[in-house]
Amino acid sequence: MLDKVKELIGDVKAFNASTKEEVEIFRIKYLGGKGLLKELFAEFKNVDAQLKKDLGQALNTLRNAAEGKVTELNASLENNQSQKSFYGDLTRPSEPINLGSRHPISLVKNQIIEVFNKVGFTVSEGPEIEDDWHNFTALNLPSHHPARDMQDTFFIEQDPDILLRTHTSSVQVRYMEENQPPIRTISPGRVFRNEDISARAHCIFHQVEGLYIDTDVSFADLKQTLLYFTKEMFGKSKIRLRPSYFPFTEPSAEVDIYWGLETETDYRITKGTGWLEIMGCGMVDPNVLKNANIDPVKYSGYAFGMGIERIAMLLYQIPDIRMFYENDKRFLEQFKSVI
Ligand code: PHE
């Protein structure tokens, strides 16, 4: 009988279970009312006195081992279960992550960059705090030139030489100073003008300006590039160039696109004409080339500049420029689906 009990101790110690039900079956088998231990202890009464000591000890060991096993297995299964509920069902598809969206200004800027990248323009950037030379003088706007009033300027700390750039043409001057033709570059960036804030104007806004310089560049090249741009950007293929004035280009023009008059909104935004002004452009003035150390006899070029807000307002029918800067989530979330 002693051998049998010893064998059972070995069985109990080796036992393992993966569910609580298995542990319960084990408990009933050993410790239950009609279990093995009950049976063995009953048999124990009839055993010879000299065997009782060893057998008694062995039976106690068996009982303790069985009880210990039940507690241990139950505890570890409980732990497993709480770990399971902590991680949940690991095979379940994950929760959707709430992604942010790009700001409409970035979206439109990237779109413009992409259109010009396709025809060989690179992107160039420059400082927002500029000096007089790059923002004005080099662009054929010497001090006291009346056209400086076209762009009301923020100056910094009463130093008339340091200012917040009023356009990204300043980047083009920097680019020309550092690179010789052929030049094909666009300069996106933030610009500043001391203007009253309204639904149509803001003191901070964004521009993309373009510059193309090479031998034999003509106004026809400019027109073709603009046509390509309006087709890609707006899907409109009718443009009109109106004579205009910029100190840094000669001749200069404003570019209008034919938007159409199909809807009521078309009437409102085009003031009933069907035409919309979208940018300024012209052939780079030889003085500007000279100022940036480019030979105006050998080279010629064109330049253009547009406001990103204006284009975004047209594309997405945004009625008020101030909406771009308010960071209202209800406004920004509407651009989630645009890449
Ligand atoms: N720099 C001009 C502006 O800010 C735009 C422009 C750029 C016009 C290049 C002509 C040529 O209004």
Side-chain angles (χ1 to χ4, degrees):
M1 188 177 168
L2 187 59
D3 287 346
K4 192 183 161 199
V5 174
K6 281 189 176 155
E7 200 188 310
L8 286 174
I9 295 175
D11 287 354
V12 165
K13 286 194 172 150
F15 179 75
N16 204 356
S18 50
T19 64
K20 286 201 160 192
E21 287 74 45
E22 284 172 36
V23 180
E24 185 58 10
I25 292 168
F26 171 84
R27 191 190 65 79
I28 293 167
K29 178 176 166 197
Y30 285 92
L31 304 163
K34 291 176 185 161
L36 280 171
L37 271 154
K38 260 262 158 54
E39 249 174 57
L40 289 167
F41 272 107
E43 269 181 58
F44 174 72
K45 284 178 198 146
N46 308 323
V47 165
D48 286 351
Q50 74 264 38
L51 286 179
K52 271 205 165 139
K53 192 179 165 228
D54 285 349
L55 190 59
Q57 268 176 0
L59 280 175
N60 278 334
T61 313
L62 177 61
R63 191 181 46 207
N64 291 342
E67 282 173 357
K69 197 68 177 186
V70 170
T71 335
E72 176 201 315
L73 286 176
N74 274 338
S76 93
L77 286 172
E78 203 128 311
N79 256 348
N80 271 357
Q81 213 137 39
S82 61
Q83 226 158 15
K84 217 179 194 174
S85 62
F86 176 74
Y87 287 114
D89 178 359
L90 294 175
T91 61
R92 205 186 56 197
S94 60
E95 297 273 329
I97 300 169
N98 199 10
L99 288 177
S101 53
R102 280 199 196 286
H103 193 279
I105 297 293
S106 301
L107 291 171
V108 173
K109 180 183 86 175
N110 291 346
Q111 223 174 320
I112 298 172
I113 290 175
E114 206 175 298
V115 171
F116 283 108
N117 269 350
K118 278 196 220 161
V119 285
F121 283 77
T122 57
V123 173
S124 51
E125 286 180 342
E128 294 180 350
I129 301 171
E130 258 303 357
D131 50 37
D132 185 281
W133 170 257
H134 292 99
N135 197 77
F136 288 130
T137 308
L139 288 162
N140 210 22
L141 275 152
S143 46
H144 309 299
H145 193 291
R148 283 193 176 209
D149 291 344
M150 282 165 76
Q151 302 175 349
D152 291 323
T153 310
F154 285 115
F155 292 95
I156 287 182
E157 287 175 5
Q158 269 96 40
D159 181 347
D161 194 46
I162 305 294
L163 46 88
L164 295 177
R165 66 181 179 195
T166 56
H167 48 190
T168 53
S169 304
S170 56
V171 183
Q172 306 184 333
V173 176
R174 287 179 180 275
Y175 194 88
M176 286 189 278
E177 285 172 344
E178 278 156 29
N179 298 279
Q180 278 297 307
I183 288 175
R184 296 163 175 73
T185 186
I186 49 169
S187 318
R190 190 156 57 159
V191 300
F192 308 82
R193 291 188 197 173
N194 195 354
E195 276 176 27
D196 289 339
I197 296 171
S198 70
R200 320 226 87 237
H202 209 285
C203 56
I204 301 175
F205 59 101
H206 299 76
Q207 278 191 327
V208 177
E209 298 218 356
L211 179 70
Y212 187 112
I213 299 173
D214 207 339
T215 48
D216 304 318
V217 179
S218 73
F219 204 90
D221 298 322
L222 168 61
K223 206 175 144 189
Q224 215 46 47
T225 307
L226 296 174
L227 197 57
Y228 159 76
F229 171 73
T230 49
K231 267 190 201 162
E232 291 281 312
M233 199 70 196
F234 303 102
K236 313 268 183 195
S237 48
K238 198 158 138 191
I239 61 170
R240 161 174 100 176
L241 295 170
R242 264 181 304 110
S244 181
Y245 171 76
F246 297 103
F248 27 87
T249 47
E250 179 61 35
S252 305
E254 304 279 359
V255 184
D256 297 342
I257 53 174
Y258 189 69
W259 195 256
L261 281 173
E262 277 158 33
T263 67
E264 219 170 295
T265 318
D266 293 347
Y267 267 89
R268 185 170 47 78
I269 61 175
T270 66
K271 299 196 181 88
T273 64
W275 290 96
L276 269 178
E277 182 191 316
I278 52 158
M279 63 172 125
C281 67
M283 301 305 289
V284 181
D285 193 295
N287 280 336
V288 175
L289 296 177
K290 226 183 290 166
N291 287 338
N293 303 320
I294 290 175
D295 181 0
V297 178
K298 197 167 164 201
Y299 295 110
S300 53
Y302 62 74
F304 54 85
M306 66 193 101
I308 301 180
E309 278 81 351
R310 179 160 171 76
I311 310 254
M313 286 166 87
L314 290 174
L315 282 177
Y316 299 120
Q317 311 213 340
I318 297 164
D320 191 319
I321 196 170
R322 289 168 289 200
M323 294 173 111
F324 290 118
Y325 318 111
E326 281 166 354
N327 280 333
D328 186 330
K329 273 175 76 183
R330 290 169 301 178
F331 172 69
L332 297 174
E333 278 178 349
Q334 293 180 56
F335 299 93
K336 267 196 171 157
S337 57
V338 196
I339 310 160

